[in-house]
Amino acid sequence: ASFINDSLNLQRVKNTSSSQYRVVLNLLARKSAQDFYTQRLLGNYSVDEIDDHHIFPVKSGLKIPDEKVDCILNRTLLCTETNKKIQNQTPKAYYDEILKKIGDESKVNAIMQSHFISDGAIARLKENDFEGFTFSLKSPALRVRMQEQ
């Protein structure tokens, strides 16, 4: 547990071939993360139907530092169809769209939480606050999940 608590800096993990990057995405699938739109469990999709998605999309118009945009804290898994719907939207815009579709903020937040996105990070996501999002985000929930394995 000391390695996880002291050494795993998720803000620096951005190489898609690194073991740390892959373990986070595998934990999402294993944890039964739900797709943002369909609410289906991502583990029920074929590999060809799942994309590695930027939570704060590169082409959303938000200013995100180049060295941080690809960090694992800004990545999650979604079905390809959902990724295409939101690929260039700001997080606030697609959160609002998902909320309109689902109609229940607690359900939308539960879906986000299935992606290791904490309540604090959800609040930052809804404000398009990338720095606040990555600071308050997945690390605590992810570390707990990794310790459970």
Side-chain angles (χ1 to χ4, degrees):
S2 63
F3 168 76
I4 293 168
N5 290 329
D6 300 332
S7 301
L8 186 59
N9 182 344
L10 297 176
Q11 290 182 321
R12 289 188 291 189
V13 176
K14 56 186 168 186
N15 182 338
T16 59
S17 63
S18 81
S19 59
Q20 293 169 328
Y21 189 98
R22 290 178 183 207
V23 76
V24 171
L25 294 184
N26 279 299
L27 282 172
L28 284 169
R30 187 159 188 235
K31 184 185 182 291
S32 302
Q34 294 176 275
D35 182 71
F36 288 175
Y37 274 86
T38 67
Q39 302 176 58
R40 279 181 53 194
L41 298 179
L42 291 168
N44 293 339
Y45 286 93
S46 73
V47 173
D48 295 338
E49 296 176 293
I50 296 178
D51 287 350
D52 179 354
H53 165 73
H54 285 91
I55 297 168
F56 281 71
V58 175
K59 295 182 181 178
S60 65
L62 299 174
K63 292 184 180 186
I64 303 168
D66 289 342
E67 69 277 4
K68 294 182 179 180
V69 74
D70 289 326
C71 83
I72 192 63
L73 294 177
N74 189 36
R75 305 305 284 258
T76 197
L77 297 175
L78 294 176
C79 77
T80 300
E81 179 183 333
T82 297
N83 193 30
K84 287 179 181 176
K85 283 182 186 178
I86 67 176
Q87 66 185 353
N88 295 325
Q89 293 183 37
T90 65
K92 180 183 180 351
Y94 69 72
Y95 181 93
D96 290 345
E97 191 174 309
I98 294 165
L99 179 58
K100 185 177 179 180
K101 178 186 182 300
I102 294 174
D104 182 338
E105 188 168 15
S106 65
K107 285 183 182 179
V108 175
N109 290 350
I111 291 167
M112 296 289 172
Q113 290 163 356
S114 77
H115 291 259
F116 301 120
I117 301 174
S118 66
D119 289 336
I122 293 169
R124 303 293 80 74
L125 179 143
K126 290 167 33 178
E127 297 171 354
N128 290 329
D129 176 4
F130 178 80
E131 293 295 335
F133 177 80
T134 58
F135 180 78
S136 64
L137 170 69
K138 303 176 185 176
S139 298
L142 182 58
R143 287 182 176 152
V144 167
R145 182 68 181 153
M146 291 176 91
Q147 289 172 335
E148 291 173 355
Q149 300 305 310

